[in-house]
Amino acid sequence: MFLKVKNLKKYYGNGDSQICVLNGVDFSVEKGELVVILGPCGSGKSTVLNLVGGLETADDGKIIVDGKSVSNEKKSSVARYRRDTLGFIFQSYNLIPNLTVKENIELCWKIGDKSLDIHEVIEFLGLTSHKNKFPRHLSGGQQQRTAIARAIVKNPKLLLCDEPTGALDYETSKDTLKLIERVKKRYGTTVLIVTHNEAIGKMADRIIRVRGGEIISNMEVENPLSVDEIEW
């Protein structure tokens, strides 16, 4: 088992104003799986991703990635975990505006111990003709491609995607999902996508549905569809 989440709990606030965001969440992910966590706004799905990504700390429970505990560890250990194991793709691209496409990607390329060839990644994601442009000169889709390249260039074992198509139009959303699909197949990356979009679940190996801070279903998909096969 590559990723195991056990009895995960998270609260916000104190006393009478305390809110339970996650209430005993359990699930596991095999190496190389593409798992989609589906749920409406406020269901707790993004909190799950933030906890797995070490961006927030759980109030209870365990998170084990590749055989190592990553929950409630020291800040230095969590920083190493994020550096060595994770790639992040967010709804907002979070590119540095005064750096070119290539320079944005190089930021993560330099910190990885087993980074991929940066020129290969740029070509693989169709950014060769844009590599010397600044983010303000790119379309939304090109900025998201850059964000994906930055996330995968250090060759992460686990790619975390938080509403990766939320700010994109229909065609650009499909292109983005195709790229994530290609990354999984080419590099064997384990992928965890959080979304409210039901259609994205059709490309998953496993669909986990979350509501009110609890998992209401965890279903293996027998025949995942390619992005081109999905009816949107």
Side-chain angles (χ1 to χ4, degrees), residues 24 33 79 100 113 126 139 154 165 176 206 208 223:
E33 269 193 319
T100 66
D113 290 334
S139 67
K154 64 177 182 175
T165 64
T176 297
R206 180 177 300 278
I208 298 171
N223 294 302

Side-chain angles (χ1 to χ4, degrees), residues 5-176:
V5 172
K6 183 68 175 176
N7 195 35
L8 206 59
K9 295 182 180 180
K10 180 67 178 178
Y11 304 94
Y12 292 134
N14 296 294
D16 294 338
S17 62
Q18 188 178 76
I19 299 172
C20 179
V21 182
L22 295 178
N23 186 24
V25 167
D26 294 275
F27 68 90
S28 57
V29 178
E30 298 284 357
K31 185 175 178 60
E33 269 193 319
L34 191 156
V35 175
V36 170
I37 299 179
L38 278 170
C41 181
S43 61
K45 61 186 187 300
S46 289
T47 301
V48 171
L49 205 72
N50 289 341
L51 294 173
V52 172
L55 301 178
E56 296 185 52
T57 304
D59 291 303
D60 198 4
K62 292 183 179 181
I63 301 170
I64 299 171
V65 179
D66 203 19
K68 298 179 181 179
S69 173
V70 299
S71 50
N72 300 312
E73 300 294 319
K74 294 180 180 179
K75 288 184 178 180
S76 58
S77 297
V78 174
R80 283 196 300 272
Y81 160 65
R82 289 201 299 259
R83 181 194 66 195
D84 297 339
T85 305
L86 300 181
F88 289 94
I89 300 173
F90 299 104
Q91 183 174 342
S92 55
Y93 317 122
N94 296 328
L95 302 177
I96 298 176
N98 61 338
L99 296 182
T100 66
V101 166
K102 184 180 178 183
E103 289 168 341
N104 267 279
I105 298 168
E106 280 177 335
L107 289 175
C108 283
W109 176 76
K110 289 177 180 178
I111 65 173
D113 290 334
K114 299 179 181 179
S115 292
L116 304 171
D117 184 297
I118 190 169
H119 301 290
E120 175 189 315
V121 171
I122 287 172
E123 182 178 357
F124 177 62
L125 293 181
L127 291 167
T128 302
S129 61
H130 305 292
K131 64 181 180 181
N132 295 318
K133 294 180 181 179
F134 293 99
R136 63 182 176 274
H137 298 137
L138 303 174
S139 67
Q142 291 161 351
Q143 290 187 61
Q144 189 63 298
R145 283 174 178 260
T146 303
I148 294 172
R150 184 182 57 188
I152 70 167
V153 72
K154 64 177 182 175
N155 199 16
K157 295 178 181 179
L158 178 60
L159 184 62
L160 303 178
C161 310
D162 191 1
E163 296 283 5
T165 64
L168 303 174
D169 60 34
Y170 167 74
E171 289 297 336
T172 309
S173 294
K174 284 186 65 177
D175 288 343
T176 297

